Amino acid sequence: KGKKIFQRISEVMKSLSFSSEEFHLEFTQPEKTILQAKKLAKITEKLIAVGGDGTAAQVIAGAYQSGNFPLIGIIPLGVGNDLARVLGIYDLFKKRGVEGCIQQFLKGYSTPLDLWRVNEKEYIINYLGIGFDARIVHSFSQIRRLIPFSSVLIKKVAYAIIGFFYSFSRLKGRVSLTYWTGKEKNFFNLTGYSLVVISNIPLYAGGTLLVPEGNCADGLLEITLFPRTTSVLKFFIEQKILGGWGISRRLKKLQNMPGVRVNLFQHFLRSRNKFGMTVRGEIPKRVRDDSGGEISKSEERDKVQGEKIIVFQPPVRRIKHYRAKQIEVLLNFGNYLQIDGEDKTYLLNEPKIKIEYQGQVFLLPGN
């Protein structure tokens, strides 16, 4: 698939009157993606990552390390594609493919994203997970080393099987988390917990809305705690099935109305626990009433795009989140840790996990 996309990008760029000297394409190399991105970021104004969350995270990290800070875009080819979903690129790619993404990137609109550093070694772009999800990522990584495969469908099936196998795993030994909100210091004893997620973006694990009030550029992380695996499963059922079902019905009503084009987005909403969408065209009153939505004013977006914003309240319970400017975690080796869907359990060889704010990069959104 990578080779086909490579060829397609070249075709699209040439169709847009770019000569071969005006753009550069290269395949990422295992263990060298950050270095590649760092090198390329020094000689370009826009740098596009083609792949999943892991590839995007490495390209962003490399670009930041370059000190040049180009605008960064993503063409999503992964399993979760959480950052691409937050940016609105995932839906754009599904609808309009590579050409639609590149045309959007060329407009030059940008949006900021916070970067966080873990033990001065790794960057958090999307989220860090300790426990259940990291155990799945660790096992998946081991399987892929033995049996390499690239199919997205096979990856999803593998994740599901591994998740079922480790569904009742818990954190081992004494585990504690300390976080700071300004000068205030807070402490949690997490011994026996199932999962801890530290989020930089609202979405988690393939588009699940974990932190509705999350802001990608506010200098804060969101901590979500799941004491038991049953609480994790309940959350996914409520968000993926109950919430998603209601939203999809409302979307269908809008999409079937003549002259209405709908673009769902889930990023940078200031409304708590709500889904948002921008709509081009006139929205009949009865559709608004039936959907249970409300019109929310956004002067800047209306002025630029001439769009209205509809906000829907998904029928799910709220989960408690804790906002933090700095975090430290103490846990024993024998547990598991993942960052942006990549196994980073090696960090547990150190006495503690320390997460600190690093800076910002600017990304190319899908709308």
Side-chain angles (χ1 to χ4, degrees):
K1 189 173 183 179
K3 292 181 180 179
K4 291 181 180 179
I5 293 292
F6 188 97
Q7 181 63 34
R8 180 59 184 149
I9 292 173
S10 179
E11 292 172 356
V12 170
M13 293 299 289
K14 290 176 181 178
S15 73
L16 295 172
S17 301
F18 284 86
S19 68
S20 57
E21 289 77 27
E22 293 178 299
F23 68 95
H24 171 77
L25 300 173
E26 67 179 63
F27 286 103
T28 57
Q29 302 175 38
E31 312 298 331
K32 294 183 179 180
T33 304
I34 292 178
L35 292 175
Q36 288 178 273
K38 185 176 180 179
K39 179 181 177 181
L40 293 172
K42 293 179 179 180
I43 58 173
T44 186
E45 295 179 354
K46 293 186 179 73
L47 183 62
I48 311 303
V50 183
D53 286 322
T55 300
Q58 291 181 73
V59 170
I60 291 170
Y64 182 80
Q65 290 178 13
S66 74
N68 193 42
F69 310 124
L71 298 179
I72 302 169
I74 302 169
I75 295 179
L77 298 181
V79 177
N81 301 304
D82 286 305
L83 184 56
R85 293 175 195 267
V86 167
L87 293 168
I89 289 294
Y90 182 75
D91 286 334
L92 179 64
F93 179 69
K94 286 176 65 178
K95 292 175 183 177
R96 298 178 55 199
V98 171
E99 184 173 1
C101 291
I102 291 177
Q103 288 176 341
Q104 178 63 29
F105 296 154
L106 291 174
K107 294 178 182 178
Y109 302 141
S110 65
T111 189
L113 175 77
D114 290 337
L115 288 186
W116 300 82
R117 202 77 191 269
V118 184
N119 290 13
E120 299 184 350
K121 293 182 177 180
E122 301 286 349
Y123 289 90
I124 299 177
I125 309 299
N126 299 347
Y127 42 74
L128 177 149
I130 300 170
F132 173 57
D133 68 343
R135 184 70 178 94
I136 296 172
V137 170
H138 178 78
S139 296
F140 179 79
S141 299
Q142 289 183 317
I143 292 172
R144 284 195 69 183
R145 277 194 282 267
L146 295 173
I147 312 173
F149 53 84
S150 57
S151 167
V152 172
L153 178 60
I154 294 176
K155 289 179 182 178
K156 289 182 177 180
V157 171
Y159 274 122
I161 294 173
I162 296 169
F164 177 79
F165 187 78
Y166 291 110
S167 57
F168 293 99
S169 61
R170 291 175 177 268
L171 293 175
K172 298 177 181 179
R174 180 173 174 77
V175 181
S176 65
L177 182 148
T178 305
Y179 72 97
W180 288 261
T181 53
K183 295 182 180 179
E184 183 182 354
K185 182 178 179 180
N186 302 272
F187 174 85
F188 285 113
N189 180 358
L190 303 178
T191 302
Y193 271 55
S194 177
L195 174 62
V196 179
V197 182
I198 299 171
S199 306
N200 189 37
I201 64 174
L203 302 184
Y204 169 72
T208 306
L209 186 62
L210 177 62
V211 188
E213 64 272 30
N215 187 321
C216 305
D218 61 355
L220 293 169
L221 290 168
E222 305 280 350
I223 304 168
T224 310
L225 309 177
F226 294 94
R228 298 173 299 278
T229 304
T230 52
S231 60
V232 180
L233 296 176
K234 186 177 181 181
F235 163 74
F236 274 99
I237 290 172
E238 288 177 336
Q239 288 286 13
K240 284 289 192 181
I241 300 176
L242 299 181
W245 181 76
I247 294 298
S248 64
R249 287 186 64 210
R250 296 164 191 169
L251 270 174
K252 279 187 178 180
K253 285 186 178 182
L254 285 174
Q255 287 173 329
N256 290 334
M257 301 306 299
V260 174
R261 291 188 295 168
V262 177
N263 175 31
L264 179 66
F265 71 97
Q266 296 172 316
H267 63 293
F268 309 127
L269 274 178
R270 298 299 181 263
S271 303
R272 290 176 175 267
N273 203 27
K274 293 182 179 181
F275 286 77
M277 65 182 72
T278 56
V279 182
R280 289 187 176 90
E282 289 300 317
I283 307 163
K285 185 175 184 299
R286 68 179 182 85
V287 175
R288 287 191 226 138
D289 293 341
D290 291 345
S291 70
E294 61 185 60
I295 300 295
S296 292
K297 293 182 179 179
S298 175
E299 298 298 333
E300 183 179 351
R301 186 175 291 275
D302 286 344
K303 189 183 297 182
V304 175
Q305 298 182 349
E307 298 177 347
K308 296 179 181 179
I309 296 179
I310 303 269
V311 177
F312 292 125
Q313 178 80 37
V316 296
R317 67 186 176 93
R318 290 190 55 77
I319 294 178
K320 180 68 175 176
H321 307 287
Y322 305 90
R323 312 189 85 184
K325 290 186 175 181
Q326 182 179 337
I327 299 172
E328 288 185 2
V329 184
L330 297 176
L331 70 168
N332 301 328
F333 194 81
N335 290 295
Y336 300 91
L337 184 148
Q338 63 93 1
I339 300 176
D340 299 332
E342 299 290 327
D343 182 28
K344 301 297 180 181
T345 301
Y346 83 91
L347 290 169
L348 300 186
N349 287 316
E350 301 186 22
K352 64 182 175 183
I353 302 300
K354 188 174 183 179
I355 304 171
E356 297 178 298
Y357 180 78
Q358 187 72 20
Q360 286 188 336
V361 293
F362 284 83
L363 307 182
L364 297 164
N367 48 36

